[in-house]
Structure formats: C-alpha cells, structure tokens
Amino acid sequence: MRDGKSAPSLATIEIEYELPAAIALAKSGPWCQLLLHSGTAWIHEECEAGFISIEALLADKPLYLLEGAIDQARSQPGGSGAMPSGLQATARKHGQQPLSARLLGHRSVGGHTWLHLAASWVNDCERSPSPQEVFELWLPLRDASGRPQVWFHARGC
C-alpha cells in the first residue's frame, strides 16, 4: 500500500504447474528491479533467496517464441544484423504458428543478453524436427518492456 492505494501488481510468468514467479530485470546488492504490469519497481529484498536466472530456467527445455519475438530474430547477436535467410518468408507462410526452439547458448552484447537458438516450425510436443527443418537464429532475451521473448511449456506439452 502506498498513500492508501494498492501498489501496482507484479507481472508474473509460470515456471512450474501453477507456480508463478516475479520477473526480475536487475539486481544490485539487496535491491531487485521487478517488472510490473506497467513499468518497473525496485524493491529492497534479498534477491539471492529463491532467485533463478532466466538462462537456467530455459536450459535443457523445449522452448517456444512468444508473440512478436520472431521480428527480433537475427543471424548474429546484436540489433542491426539481418534476419536469418528465408526466415521472413517462412514466417509469413506459417502465420501465427509458434516457433519451437532449443537453447544453444547465450551472449551479452551491449548490455543485453542474446539467445542462440536452434528453431523449427515443427511443434516439439508432436514430433522431433528433422535436421532439414531446423535453423539457427539469435534473439534478444527480453523485449523493450523487459518481458522474456522465449519461454517453455511449464505445464508440459
């Protein structure tokens, strides 16, 4: 509560079946910057207790790109490179179908984390893609608001 009004609610994301977690954008000593539904807020909290890095959450899980993420895909980490060849045309062909992915690694460029992904239009929950159906891309971990651009099926397939 602040001045008799409720504080803005935290934006959360499901990390296990019906287990939501706050989205931490930054840590500085005992302070955490958390994503709100509108903006961000710093709270004085021991961030290490219960903190799981997003890279650790995404490792070794079948992933999918969230809405709008495909527009940020690049052939190299950083913001100015071209989209991987043929990706724009195949994205139009597949419409709103989600892109499945697997994390190959990550790199920090200009203070932003970029994910190296092996991606496919094949739904990993239905079948494993053939090598010809898989392509590599780089994607910024977060969108402009700080929300992750890729996630996993927290409730399974």
Side-chain angles (χ1 to χ4, degrees), residues 2-3 25-26 29 33-34 41 55 57 63-64 76 81 89 94 98 101 107 112 131 138 142 149-150:
R2 189 179 304 160
D3 300 327
L25 302 175
Q33 183 185 25
L34 301 178
E55 294 87 356
L57 278 174
L63 308 173
Y64 60 92
Q76 295 294 320
H94 290 279
R107 183 180 302 165
H112 299 283
W138 286 88
R142 300 179 186 277
Q149 297 206 92
V150 63

PDB file of all heavy atoms in Angstrom, residues 2-3 25-26 29 33-34 41 55 57 63-64 76 81 89 94 98 101 107 112 131 138 142 149-150:
ATOM      1  N   ARG A   2       0.490   2.218  -0.758  1.00  0.00           N
ATOM      2  CA  ARG A   2       1.216   3.475  -0.807  1.00  0.00           C
ATOM      3  C   ARG A   2       0.182   4.595  -0.849  1.00  0.00           C
ATOM      4  O   ARG A   2      -0.657   4.623  -1.734  1.00  0.00           O
ATOM      5  CB  ARG A   2       2.108   3.511  -2.050  1.00  0.00           C
ATOM      6  CG  ARG A   2       3.048   4.672  -2.046  1.00  0.00           C
ATOM      7  CD  ARG A   2       3.941   4.684  -3.247  1.00  0.00           C
ATOM      8  NE  ARG A   2       4.664   3.414  -3.343  1.00  0.00           N
ATOM      9  CZ  ARG A   2       5.224   2.958  -4.454  1.00  0.00           C
ATOM     10  NH1 ARG A   2       5.138   3.643  -5.561  1.00  0.00           N
ATOM     11  NH2 ARG A   2       5.840   1.816  -4.472  1.00  0.00           N
ATOM     12  N   ASP A   3       0.209   5.487   0.120  1.00  0.00           N
ATOM     13  CA  ASP A   3      -0.761   6.577   0.213  1.00  0.00           C
ATOM     14  C   ASP A   3      -2.201   6.077   0.163  1.00  0.00           C
ATOM     15  O   ASP A   3      -3.058   6.672  -0.479  1.00  0.00           O
ATOM     16  CB  ASP A   3      -0.525   7.600  -0.918  1.00  0.00           C
ATOM     17  CG  ASP A   3       0.851   8.221  -0.859  1.00  0.00           C
ATOM     18  OD1 ASP A   3       1.377   8.401   0.266  1.00  0.00           O
ATOM     19  OD2 ASP A   3       1.413   8.516  -1.923  1.00  0.00           O
ATOM     20  N   LEU A  25      14.398  -7.998 -13.379  1.00  0.00           N
ATOM     21  CA  LEU A  25      15.142  -7.433 -14.500  1.00  0.00           C
ATOM     22  C   LEU A  25      16.588  -7.140 -14.141  1.00  0.00           C
ATOM     23  O   LEU A  25      17.461  -7.175 -14.998  1.00  0.00           O
ATOM     24  CB  LEU A  25      14.468  -6.141 -14.980  1.00  0.00           C
ATOM     25  CG  LEU A  25      13.024  -6.276 -15.428  1.00  0.00           C
ATOM     26  CD1 LEU A  25      12.454  -4.907 -15.757  1.00  0.00           C
ATOM     27  CD2 LEU A  25      12.919  -7.210 -16.617  1.00  0.00           C
ATOM     28  N   ALA A  26      16.830  -6.831 -12.871  1.00  0.00           N
ATOM     29  CA  ALA A  26      18.183  -6.485 -12.441  1.00  0.00           C
ATOM     30  C   ALA A  26      18.309  -6.702 -10.940  1.00  0.00           C
ATOM     31  O   ALA A  26      17.313  -6.728 -10.221  1.00  0.00           O
ATOM     32  CB  ALA A  26      18.488  -5.027 -12.782  1.00  0.00           C
ATOM     33  N   GLY A  29      23.007  -5.358  -5.110  1.00  0.00           N
ATOM     34  CA  GLY A  29      23.069  -5.554  -3.662  1.00  0.00           C
ATOM     35  C   GLY A  29      21.777  -6.192  -3.176  1.00  0.00           C
ATOM     36  O   GLY A  29      21.325  -7.176  -3.738  1.00  0.00           O
ATOM     37  N   GLN A  33      15.092  -5.172  -9.207  1.00  0.00           N
ATOM     38  CA  GLN A  33      14.185  -4.433 -10.082  1.00  0.00           C
ATOM     39  C   GLN A  33      13.223  -5.453 -10.676  1.00  0.00           C
ATOM     40  O   GLN A  33      13.639  -6.380 -11.377  1.00  0.00           O
ATOM     41  CB  GLN A  33      14.939  -3.717 -11.196  1.00  0.00           C
ATOM     42  CG  GLN A  33      14.022  -2.894 -12.068  1.00  0.00           C
ATOM     43  CD  GLN A  33      14.734  -2.263 -13.247  1.00  0.00           C
ATOM     44  OE1 GLN A  33      15.762  -2.767 -13.698  1.00  0.00           O
ATOM     45  NE2 GLN A  33      14.186  -1.180 -13.749  1.00  0.00           N
ATOM     46  N   LEU A  34      11.938  -5.294 -10.385  1.00  0.00           N
ATOM     47  CA  LEU A  34      10.920  -6.231 -10.837  1.00  0.00           C
ATOM     48  C   LEU A  34      10.027  -5.596 -11.887  1.00  0.00           C
ATOM     49  O   LEU A  34       9.746  -4.393 -11.849  1.00  0.00           O
ATOM     50  CB  LEU A  34      10.064  -6.703  -9.657  1.00  0.00           C
ATOM     51  CG  LEU A  34      10.813  -7.404  -8.524  1.00  0.00           C
ATOM     52  CD1 LEU A  34       9.848  -7.779  -7.407  1.00  0.00           C
ATOM     53  CD2 LEU A  34      11.560  -8.620  -9.028  1.00  0.00           C
ATOM     54  N   ALA A  41       9.709  -1.592 -10.797  1.00  0.00           N
ATOM     55  CA  ALA A  41       9.902  -1.057  -9.454  1.00  0.00           C
ATOM     56  C   ALA A  41      11.094  -1.751  -8.816  1.00  0.00           C
ATOM     57  O   ALA A  41      11.330  -2.933  -9.048  1.00  0.00           O
ATOM     58  CB  ALA A  41       8.644  -1.285  -8.611  1.00  0.00           C
ATOM     59  N   GLU A  55      18.352 -17.744 -17.741  1.00  0.00           N
ATOM     60  CA  GLU A  55      19.142 -18.660 -18.557  1.00  0.00           C
ATOM     61  C   GLU A  55      19.073 -20.079 -17.987  1.00  0.00           C
ATOM     62  O   GLU A  55      18.979 -21.046 -18.733  1.00  0.00           O
ATOM     63  CB  GLU A  55      20.600 -18.192 -18.649  1.00  0.00           C
ATOM     64  CG  GLU A  55      20.785 -16.881 -19.403  1.00  0.00           C
ATOM     65  CD  GLU A  55      20.632 -15.640 -18.530  1.00  0.00           C
ATOM     66  OE1 GLU A  55      20.297 -15.764 -17.340  1.00  0.00           O
ATOM     67  OE2 GLU A  55      20.850 -14.535 -19.048  1.00  0.00           O
ATOM     68  N   LEU A  57      16.574 -21.261 -16.168  1.00  0.00           N
ATOM     69  CA  LEU A  57      15.206 -21.753 -16.383  1.00  0.00           C
ATOM     70  C   LEU A  57      15.018 -22.300 -17.797  1.00  0.00           C
ATOM     71  O   LEU A  57      14.303 -23.269 -18.006  1.00  0.00           O
ATOM     72  CB  LEU A  57      14.187 -20.635 -16.159  1.00  0.00           C
ATOM     73  CG  LEU A  57      13.787 -20.342 -14.735  1.00  0.00           C
ATOM     74  CD1 LEU A  57      12.892 -19.109 -14.685  1.00  0.00           C
ATOM     75  CD2 LEU A  57      13.083 -21.529 -14.104  1.00  0.00           C
ATOM     76  N   LEU A  63      11.537 -25.030 -25.936  1.00  0.00           N
ATOM     77  CA  LEU A  63      11.092 -23.642 -25.836  1.00  0.00           C
ATOM     78  C   LEU A  63      10.157 -23.279 -26.976  1.00  0.00           C
ATOM     79  O   LEU A  63      10.043 -24.004 -27.959  1.00  0.00           O
ATOM     80  CB  LEU A  63      12.308 -22.715 -25.874  1.00  0.00           C
ATOM     81  CG  LEU A  63      13.433 -23.018 -24.899  1.00  0.00           C
ATOM     82  CD1 LEU A  63      14.628 -22.122 -25.184  1.00  0.00           C
ATOM     83  CD2 LEU A  63      12.962 -22.863 -23.472  1.00  0.00           C
ATOM     84  N   TYR A  64       9.524 -22.128 -26.854  1.00  0.00           N
ATOM     85  CA  TYR A  64       8.763 -21.545 -27.960  1.00  0.00           C
ATOM     86  C   TYR A  64       8.918 -20.032 -27.894  1.00  0.00           C
ATOM     87  O   TYR A  64       9.109 -19.463 -26.813  1.00  0.00           O
ATOM     88  CB  TYR A  64       7.293 -21.957 -27.929  1.00  0.00           C
ATOM     89  CG  TYR A  64       6.545 -21.547 -26.692  1.00  0.00           C
ATOM     90  CD1 TYR A  64       5.857 -20.336 -26.631  1.00  0.00           C
ATOM     91  CD2 TYR A  64       6.534 -22.354 -25.558  1.00  0.00           C
ATOM     92  CE1 TYR A  64       5.176 -19.952 -25.497  1.00  0.00           C
ATOM     93  CE2 TYR A  64       5.860 -21.979 -24.414  1.00  0.00           C
ATOM     94  CZ  TYR A  64       5.178 -20.779 -24.386  1.00  0.00           C
ATOM     95  OH  TYR A  64       4.515 -20.398 -23.250  1.00  0.00           O
ATOM     96  N   GLN A  76      23.040 -12.857 -36.308  1.00  0.00           N
ATOM     97  CA  GLN A  76      24.163 -12.638 -35.391  1.00  0.00           C
ATOM     98  C   GLN A  76      23.640 -11.893 -34.168  1.00  0.00           C
ATOM     99  O   GLN A  76      22.687 -11.125 -34.280  1.00  0.00           O
ATOM    100  CB  GLN A  76      25.253 -11.796 -36.063  1.00  0.00           C
ATOM    101  CG  GLN A  76      25.918 -12.461 -37.239  1.00  0.00           C
ATOM    102  CD  GLN A  76      26.714 -13.689 -36.835  1.00  0.00           C
ATOM    103  OE1 GLN A  76      27.390 -13.704 -35.808  1.00  0.00           O
ATOM    104  NE2 GLN A  76      26.622 -14.741 -37.632  1.00  0.00           N
ATOM    105  N   GLY A  81      21.992  -6.748 -37.371  1.00  0.00           N
ATOM    106  CA  GLY A  81      22.191  -7.759 -38.409  1.00  0.00           C
ATOM    107  C   GLY A  81      20.891  -8.160 -39.082  1.00  0.00           C
ATOM    108  O   GLY A  81      19.800  -7.845 -38.616  1.00  0.00           O
ATOM    109  N   ALA A  89      10.203 -15.022 -45.007  1.00  0.00           N
ATOM    110  CA  ALA A  89       9.246 -15.653 -45.921  1.00  0.00           C
ATOM    111  C   ALA A  89       8.548 -16.834 -45.252  1.00  0.00           C
ATOM    112  O   ALA A  89       7.326 -16.985 -45.362  1.00  0.00           O
ATOM    113  CB  ALA A  89       9.954 -16.119 -47.187  1.00  0.00           C
ATOM    114  N   HIS A  94       3.883 -19.510 -42.272  1.00  0.00           N
ATOM    115  CA  HIS A  94       3.384 -20.225 -41.100  1.00  0.00           C
ATOM    116  C   HIS A  94       2.429 -19.384 -40.250  1.00  0.00           C
ATOM    117  O   HIS A  94       1.869 -19.907 -39.284  1.00  0.00           O
ATOM    118  CB  HIS A  94       4.547 -20.736 -40.252  1.00  0.00           C
ATOM    119  CG  HIS A  94       5.295 -21.844 -40.919  1.00  0.00           C
ATOM    120  ND1 HIS A  94       4.870 -23.139 -40.897  1.00  0.00           N
ATOM    121  CD2 HIS A  94       6.439 -21.843 -41.642  1.00  0.00           C
ATOM    122  CE1 HIS A  94       5.718 -23.900 -41.573  1.00  0.00           C
ATOM    123  NE2 HIS A  94       6.680 -23.129 -42.035  1.00  0.00           N
ATOM    124  N   PRO A  98       3.346 -21.002 -33.575  1.00  0.00           N
ATOM    125  CA  PRO A  98       4.528 -20.693 -32.757  1.00  0.00           C
ATOM    126  C   PRO A  98       5.777 -21.419 -33.257  1.00  0.00           C
ATOM    127  O   PRO A  98       5.705 -22.513 -33.795  1.00  0.00           O
ATOM    128  CB  PRO A  98       4.143 -21.158 -31.362  1.00  0.00           C
ATOM    129  CG  PRO A  98       3.001 -22.089 -31.537  1.00  0.00           C
ATOM    130  CD  PRO A  98       2.352 -21.769 -32.854  1.00  0.00           C
ATOM    131  N   ALA A 101      11.867 -23.986 -30.195  1.00  0.00           N
ATOM    132  CA  ALA A 101      13.309 -23.721 -30.163  1.00  0.00           C
ATOM    133  C   ALA A 101      13.982 -24.500 -29.041  1.00  0.00           C
ATOM    134  O   ALA A 101      13.330 -25.007 -28.136  1.00  0.00           O
ATOM    135  CB  ALA A 101      13.562 -22.232 -29.982  1.00  0.00           C
ATOM    136  N   ARG A 107      24.849 -14.929 -25.198  1.00  0.00           N
ATOM    137  CA  ARG A 107      25.978 -13.991 -25.237  1.00  0.00           C
ATOM    138  C   ARG A 107      25.465 -12.602 -24.866  1.00  0.00           C
ATOM    139  O   ARG A 107      24.354 -12.236 -25.232  1.00  0.00           O
ATOM    140  CB  ARG A 107      26.562 -13.965 -26.647  1.00  0.00           C
ATOM    141  CG  ARG A 107      27.777 -13.077 -26.778  1.00  0.00           C
ATOM    142  CD  ARG A 107      28.346 -13.062 -28.174  1.00  0.00           C
ATOM    143  NE  ARG A 107      28.707 -14.412 -28.600  1.00  0.00           N
ATOM    144  CZ  ARG A 107      28.958 -14.742 -29.858  1.00  0.00           C
ATOM    145  NH1 ARG A 107      28.879 -13.840 -30.811  1.00  0.00           N
ATOM    146  NH2 ARG A 107      29.284 -15.973 -30.182  1.00  0.00           N
ATOM    147  N   HIS A 112      22.948  -6.351 -23.303  1.00  0.00           N
ATOM    148  CA  HIS A 112      21.734  -7.144 -23.500  1.00  0.00           C
ATOM    149  C   HIS A 112      22.113  -8.602 -23.747  1.00  0.00           C
ATOM    150  O   HIS A 112      23.076  -8.887 -24.448  1.00  0.00           O
ATOM    151  CB  HIS A 112      20.923  -6.631 -24.695  1.00  0.00           C
ATOM    152  CG  HIS A 112      20.473  -5.218 -24.521  1.00  0.00           C
ATOM    153  ND1 HIS A 112      19.417  -4.867 -23.724  1.00  0.00           N
ATOM    154  CD2 HIS A 112      20.958  -4.069 -25.041  1.00  0.00           C
ATOM    155  CE1 HIS A 112      19.257  -3.557 -23.762  1.00  0.00           C
ATOM    156  NE2 HIS A 112      20.188  -3.047 -24.552  1.00  0.00           N
ATOM    157  N   PRO A 131      16.655 -32.677 -39.307  1.00  0.00           N
ATOM    158  CA  PRO A 131      17.718 -31.669 -39.419  1.00  0.00           C
ATOM    159  C   PRO A 131      17.419 -30.608 -40.485  1.00  0.00           C
ATOM    160  O   PRO A 131      17.811 -29.453 -40.325  1.00  0.00           O
ATOM    161  CB  PRO A 131      18.960 -32.494 -39.792  1.00  0.00           C
ATOM    162  CG  PRO A 131      18.688 -33.850 -39.236  1.00  0.00           C
ATOM    163  CD  PRO A 131      17.200 -34.042 -39.376  1.00  0.00           C
ATOM    164  N   TRP A 138      19.564 -15.861 -33.612  1.00  0.00           N
ATOM    165  CA  TRP A 138      19.867 -15.148 -32.369  1.00  0.00           C
ATOM    166  C   TRP A 138      18.665 -14.277 -32.046  1.00  0.00           C
ATOM    167  O   TRP A 138      18.086 -13.662 -32.936  1.00  0.00           O
ATOM    168  CB  TRP A 138      21.111 -14.287 -32.521  1.00  0.00           C
ATOM    169  CG  TRP A 138      22.379 -15.079 -32.530  1.00  0.00           C
ATOM    170  CD1 TRP A 138      22.983 -15.641 -33.622  1.00  0.00           C
ATOM    171  CD2 TRP A 138      23.177 -15.431 -31.408  1.00  0.00           C
ATOM    172  NE1 TRP A 138      24.111 -16.306 -33.243  1.00  0.00           N
ATOM    173  CE2 TRP A 138      24.254 -16.185 -31.877  1.00  0.00           C
ATOM    174  CE3 TRP A 138      23.092 -15.169 -30.042  1.00  0.00           C
ATOM    175  CZ2 TRP A 138      25.249 -16.683 -31.037  1.00  0.00           C
ATOM    176  CZ3 TRP A 138      24.079 -15.657 -29.201  1.00  0.00           C
ATOM    177  CH2 TRP A 138      25.143 -16.411 -29.704  1.00  0.00           C
ATOM    178  N   ARG A 142      15.046 -10.404 -23.917  1.00  0.00           N
ATOM    179  CA  ARG A 142      13.882  -9.618 -23.481  1.00  0.00           C
ATOM    180  C   ARG A 142      13.443  -8.634 -24.554  1.00  0.00           C
ATOM    181  O   ARG A 142      14.256  -8.160 -25.336  1.00  0.00           O
ATOM    182  CB  ARG A 142      14.223  -8.845 -22.212  1.00  0.00           C
ATOM    183  CG  ARG A 142      14.631  -9.736 -21.057  1.00  0.00           C
ATOM    184  CD  ARG A 142      14.993  -8.907 -19.831  1.00  0.00           C
ATOM    185  NE  ARG A 142      15.518  -9.714 -18.759  1.00  0.00           N
ATOM    186  CZ  ARG A 142      14.783 -10.379 -17.880  1.00  0.00           C
ATOM    187  NH1 ARG A 142      13.474 -10.349 -17.970  1.00  0.00           N
ATOM    188  NH2 ARG A 142      15.349 -11.085 -16.931  1.00  0.00           N
ATOM    189  N   GLN A 149      11.255 -13.116 -24.367  1.00  0.00           N
ATOM    190  CA  GLN A 149      10.726 -13.335 -25.711  1.00  0.00           C
ATOM    191  C   GLN A 149      10.589 -14.815 -26.052  1.00  0.00           C
ATOM    192  O   GLN A 149      10.062 -15.171 -27.090  1.00  0.00           O
ATOM    193  CB  GLN A 149      11.614 -12.658 -26.760  1.00  0.00           C
ATOM    194  CG  GLN A 149      11.636 -11.155 -26.583  1.00  0.00           C
ATOM    195  CD  GLN A 149      11.941 -10.471 -27.868  1.00  0.00           C
ATOM    196  OE1 GLN A 149      11.031 -10.107 -28.601  1.00  0.00           O
ATOM    197  NE2 GLN A 149      13.210 -10.285 -28.172  1.00  0.00           N
ATOM    198  N   VAL A 150      11.084 -15.649 -25.162  1.00  0.00           N
ATOM    199  CA  VAL A 150      11.002 -17.103 -25.363  1.00  0.00           C
ATOM    200  C   VAL A 150      10.648 -17.707 -24.005  1.00  0.00           C
ATOM    201  O   VAL A 150      11.012 -17.178 -22.971  1.00  0.00           O
ATOM    202  CB  VAL A 150      12.348 -17.636 -25.927  1.00  0.00           C
ATOM    203  CG1 VAL A 150      13.480 -17.425 -24.974  1.00  0.00           C
ATOM    204  CG2 VAL A 150      12.250 -19.080 -26.321  1.00  0.00           C
TER     205      VAL A 150
END
